[in-house]
Amino acid sequence: MPILQTINKGHVPVKVYTDDIEHSAYQQLVNMSQMPFIHSHIAAMPDVHCGIGATVGSVIPTKGAIIPAAVGVDIGCGMNAIRLSIKADQLPDNLRGLRSAIERDVPVGFNMHKYDAVPDSTVRALSNGLSNIWEKHPKLKSKQKQPYQTWIRQLATLGGGNHFIELCLDENDDVWVMLHSGSRGVGNAIGQYFIEMARRDMEKVQMNLPDRDLAYFNEGTSHFNDYIEAVGWAQDYAMINRREMMRLVLKVLKARLPNFKVTKEAINCHHNYVSEEHHFGETVFVTRKGAIRAREGELGIIPGSMGAKSFIVRGKGNESSFCSCSHGAGRVMSRSKAKRLFNEQDLATQTADVECKKDKSVIDEIPAAYKDIDKVMANQTDLVDVVHTLKQVVCIKG
């Protein structure tokens, strides 16, 4: 489906791929469009909803500046999916044991490994980059307790919130492993640190912003360069975190399932990140806050909620969206509202066919708290083609 509405209340238009947008998210899009360094326009995906400063589900091209809060604190958050060579009927009838085994070997929530769970060479490579960032910004270390041990032991861990590990079945009954996670505590620390720094920089020059969370760094300044270095490191960390977590999940499965191979159809993509790209005649910084890149022929992952379908998609390279698409269903209510409205029985009913937690700790992730994934997909047929439709049978939440 093409662009459904255009907002013309700022320096550039906002092209929106949905007619279902809450007032607070609408205002955030207006605020962003007033920033003087936006290139061409802003694209809002079908799952767009209110975020901090910038909407989740938006694609923001900037020239000469970057807004740290638009990238957010879960820097490099994204998806990893792999198709296995086994079928649904080769899974055990009772999937509780598989879920328990994965939860035992892959720390979730605030938990972390008690030892270094990834190869030493990977740790050394990441350590060199982070040490350089810490040397320039020693106060960054104070954002975490035992920062050096923490970032290492959180590699190959899930985290909490909407992060998950799933076993899914596609339309051919092929088994997939899919997971969603980011840069963990160290990415959060980097995000918070530079968001606060951008605010202070704006206060010094008495910049009048439509929202204090749209504070930015100008290209060429030391803080801009340091942020680019730090956010790039966090994005690498997030990619490695997903890769290493997938390795641990596959190790669990190989010990408990019939012999299988991993197919070549594997995807590891960010959906909270910034990258330098060329669009509409200019090289710009593209911030995708809750959106994935969907260049022509490029594979991506659009997950639904705990009880809904997910999709493997192929990008169409639509320039109006800056070659992007949605990153999921998108929330329709806050976590606190979901906890007020729903109970454990509601969760059990809405996830009846999924082996997952069904207690109060994950009520805020209940499917009803999210938009209808089918409608979200219908609104972006101009952006992607569906390659596989997945339905989860196991879902592990933090």
Side-chain angles (χ1 to χ4, degrees):
M1 190 174 288
I3 296 161
L4 292 180
Q5 60 177 302
T6 301
I7 303 171
N8 291 298
K9 294 188 176 181
H11 294 298
V12 297
V14 182
K15 300 181 179 182
V16 188
Y17 286 85
T18 180
D19 55 8
D20 178 20
I21 181 169
E22 60 192 324
H23 175 74
S24 55
Y26 183 95
Q27 187 57 53
Q28 284 187 332
L29 291 170
V30 171
N31 290 344
M32 285 193 296
S33 72
Q34 294 172 355
M35 304 304 287
F37 44 75
I38 305 295
H39 172 64
S40 179
H41 63 276
I42 293 168
M45 300 295 98
D47 60 338
V48 65
H49 58 282
C50 190
I52 297 175
T55 53
V56 179
S58 56
V59 185
I60 310 161
T62 58
K63 188 167 178 60
I66 287 181
I67 305 168
V71 180
V73 296
D74 196 0
I75 301 169
C77 183
M79 301 288 302
N80 191 187
I82 290 178
R83 183 161 56 99
L84 308 182
S85 63
I86 56 175
K87 296 286 188 178
D89 60 8
Q90 294 175 276
L91 293 175
D93 292 335
N94 189 328
L95 296 169
R96 178 68 58 86
L98 274 181
R99 176 165 76 92
S100 298
I102 294 171
E103 289 174 337
R104 185 186 63 240
D105 287 9
V106 180
V108 302
F110 293 106
N111 296 327
M112 65 184 81
H113 291 285
K114 296 178 180 178
Y115 55 87
D116 299 354
V118 302
D120 289 342
S121 57
T122 300
V123 172
R124 283 196 300 271
L126 285 169
S127 182
N128 291 338
L130 185 58
S131 294
N132 189 49
I133 296 164
W134 277 345
E135 185 176 344
K136 295 178 184 177
H137 296 276
K139 290 183 180 179
L140 180 54
K141 287 186 179 181
S142 66
K143 291 286 184 181
Q144 285 185 291
K145 292 181 179 179
Q146 298 182 312
Y148 187 81
Q149 294 89 339
T150 298
W151 78 258
I152 294 175
R153 292 179 180 174
Q154 284 188 337
L155 269 173
T157 68
L158 183 63
N162 62 357
H163 294 161
F164 62 76
I165 301 168
E166 291 183 341
L167 294 186
C168 305
L169 305 178
D170 69 13
E171 65 284 347
N172 300 312
D173 272 347
D174 289 329
V175 176
W176 289 70
V177 183
M178 186 166 70
L179 56 84
H180 171 209
S181 191
S183 52
R184 304 295 283 109
V186 66
N188 185 288
I190 288 171
Q192 287 188 41
Y193 178 83
F194 282 99
I195 289 169
E196 291 165 6
M197 179 178 287
R199 288 172 182 163
R200 291 195 298 271
D201 286 357
M202 293 292 98
E203 289 168 359
K204 288 177 183 177
V205 297
Q206 298 182 330
M207 182 65 67
N208 186 25
L209 298 171
D211 186 323
R212 68 191 293 262
D213 285 315
L214 294 180
Y216 58 89
F217 295 128
N218 283 308
E219 188 171 7
T221 63
S222 60
H223 288 172
F224 178 97
N225 294 333
D226 290 351
Y227 179 68
I228 288 293
E229 180 182 4
V231 80
W233 183 91
Q235 289 171 187
D236 289 344
Y237 180 96
M239 188 74 74
I240 292 168
N241 180 49
R242 290 192 293 273
R243 185 192 71 200
E244 293 298 323
M245 199 180 341
M246 181 65 78
R247 178 178 60 82
L248 295 182
V249 173
L250 292 177
K251 185 178 178 182
V252 171
L253 297 181
K254 285 177 180 178
R256 289 164 177 81
L257 296 180
N259 187 42
F260 63 81
K261 295 181 180 179
V262 174
T263 71
K264 294 181 180 179
E265 197 171 32
I267 310 140
N268 195 346
C269 59
H270 296 318
H271 56 223
N272 278 353
Y273 72 111
V274 61
S275 66
E276 197 169 16
E277 301 176 12
H278 193 80
H279 293 281
F280 297 101
E282 296 281 356
T283 298
V284 294
F285 291 97
V286 176
T287 297
R288 291 185 176 90
K289 185 182 182 68
I292 63 171
R293 193 175 62 193
R295 295 183 299 194
E296 186 173 4
E298 186 171 29
L299 291 176
I301 308 164
I302 302 176
S305 62
M306 288 174 71
K309 292 175 287 188
S310 297
F311 299 89
I312 306 298
V313 297
R314 181 175 287 114
K316 292 186 173 182
N318 188 314
E319 268 296 322
S320 293
S321 70
F322 301 97
C323 301
S324 308
C325 68
S326 82
H327 82 311
R331 297 190 72 93
V332 292
M333 66 181 69
S334 67
R335 295 184 182 279
S336 58
K337 184 176 181 179
K339 289 177 180 178
R340 290 196 307 271
L341 290 182
F342 301 105
N343 57 38
E344 292 176 44
Q345 183 55 53
D346 297 323
L347 180 63
T349 300
Q350 294 182 32
T351 60
D353 299 325
V354 184
E355 172 55 50
C356 63
K357 285 183 182 178
K358 300 180 192 288
D359 58 38
K360 63 181 181 181
S361 68
V362 291
I363 285 176
D364 56 345
E365 283 294 302
I366 193 169
Y370 285 83
K371 292 183 179 181
D372 181 347
I373 189 65
D374 287 322
K375 185 175 181 181
V376 168
M377 296 305 297
N379 283 343
Q380 55 186 333
T381 53
D382 279 11
L383 309 182
V384 292
D385 288 320
V386 174
V387 179
H388 295 291
T389 301
L390 310 183
K391 181 68 176 72
Q392 63 272 75
V393 291
V394 175
C395 179
I396 294 162
K397 289 277 188 180

